[in-house]
Amino acid sequence: MAYKSLLTVACSPEGVLGTVTAAAQIATAMDAHLDALALGVDRTQVGYSYVGSGAVVIAAAMDRAEGEARETEAALNAAIGAQVPTLRSSVESVVTQLGALTDVVAARARYSDLVVLHLPYGKGRGVEDEAITEAALFEGMTPVLVVPPGGMATAQPKRIVLAWNQSREALVAARRAMPFLKRAEMVQIVVIDPPAHGPERSDPGGQLCQLLVRHGVRAEVSVLARTLPRISEVLARHARDVNADMLVMGAYGHSRFREAIMGGATRDMLENAQVPVFLAH
């Protein structure tokens, strides 16, 4: 069991090397192909204007977007060129308006096993970075590995924390992360403040642990108290305490004007992620 088709998407040269390096490490370890997509994004929202000026604004915006696409494509090619020569890869550039970005990314993500992206929040990130992550997760229905600025320590994480709350999203994430889970030396299924009257009240996380063990995963369950205001803070602290190489969790979102947006727990985790975060919806 392995990922065979990987995708990374960038809309600026910033942070490309770290993300490409992580994706290339995974592709090399799993004998996969890496596709890289460089986006030039037209961010203009032309409303009313003087006669003839709208066309000028649009033309200038498209020229700028094409230039950004070329710069990003060059950065992706340079980053891929810095990897092992045996890496199988391809680079493509596309210019799109911000409103059509979701369709462009989702169309490519659907035919990938895993999408590797940088953090969508933080210094130098814009609305298009968040839109790319959401498009892959919610419209592309593809798992996403979000790589923090520090990069990925290893392509085959030895210690993985799997956040479990009995939700459909968490179960999907566990199944989609199986290529990583099976290769790990230790997988901790972390349950935070399980409900006293829930279906798993007598054995929180036990059934998931049994499922993973039957697949050859070295898994165990840790039940934690919610000692911090946010669930994401408890997970992040525990990941640091056990020196985890990866965090696996379900991606939560809701619809606003037909656009998926990150739910609070997912956004909180990604804003300050210190280890790679594997997400699936």
Side-chain angles (χ1 to χ4, degrees), residues 72-89:
T72 304
E73 182 180 8
L76 286 170
N77 277 315
I80 288 175
Q83 310 305 318
V84 295
T86 55
L87 175 67
R88 301 194 306 277
S89 63

Side-chain angles (χ1 to χ4, degrees), residues 106 109-110 112-113 134-143 172 176 280-281:
R110 289 188 187 112
S112 302
D113 297 319
E134 292 170 358
L137 279 169
F138 299 119
E139 298 299 325
M141 298 298 291
T142 308
V172 169
R176 296 289 185 87
H281 178 68

Side-chain angles (χ1 to χ4, degrees), residues 3-199:
Y3 305 113
K4 290 300 181 181
S5 182
L6 274 62
L7 171 69
T8 188
V9 183
C11 56
S12 74
E14 185 178 351
V16 161
L17 180 59
T19 308
V20 168
T21 300
Q25 289 173 341
I26 297 169
T28 301
M30 299 195 182
D31 190 28
H33 188 282
L34 173 61
D35 294 307
L37 178 63
L39 289 181
V41 182
D42 172 12
R43 302 169 182 82
T44 58
Q45 300 292 330
V46 178
Y48 65 89
S49 60
Y50 292 105
V51 174
S53 64
V56 174
V57 171
I58 292 173
M62 289 302 291
D63 287 343
R64 183 167 56 251
E66 289 174 1
E68 290 176 355
R70 287 192 294 270
E71 290 178 5
T72 304
E73 182 180 8
L76 286 170
N77 277 315
I80 288 175
Q83 310 305 318
V84 295
T86 55
L87 175 67
R88 301 194 306 277
S89 63
S90 63
V91 180
E92 178 187 6
S93 63
V94 173
V95 174
T96 178
Q97 289 187 314
L98 185 60
L101 184 150
T102 293
D103 292 337
V104 171
V105 175
R108 286 159 176 79
R110 289 188 187 112
Y111 301 101
S112 302
D113 297 319
L114 178 68
V115 180
V116 183
L117 301 173
H118 56 57
L119 282 178
Y121 309 110
K123 185 179 179 181
R125 302 305 180 202
V127 64
E128 60 273 15
D129 294 289
E130 184 175 4
I132 289 169
T133 306
E134 292 170 358
L137 279 169
F138 299 119
E139 298 299 325
M141 298 298 291
T142 308
V144 170
L145 179 65
V146 179
V147 181
M152 191 171 181
T154 172
Q156 300 192 52
K158 294 180 174 62
R159 294 170 298 280
I160 298 177
V161 168
L162 195 164
W164 178 244
N165 62 357
Q166 305 174 39
S167 69
R168 176 180 60 185
E169 290 85 354
L171 182 58
V172 169
R175 292 183 184 275
R176 296 289 185 87
M178 199 68 77
F180 286 124
L181 301 181
K182 288 175 67 69
R183 290 167 169 78
E185 294 178 359
M186 180 276 289
V187 175
Q188 274 203 7
I189 301 168
V190 174
V191 186
I192 300 173
D193 272 358
H197 303 289

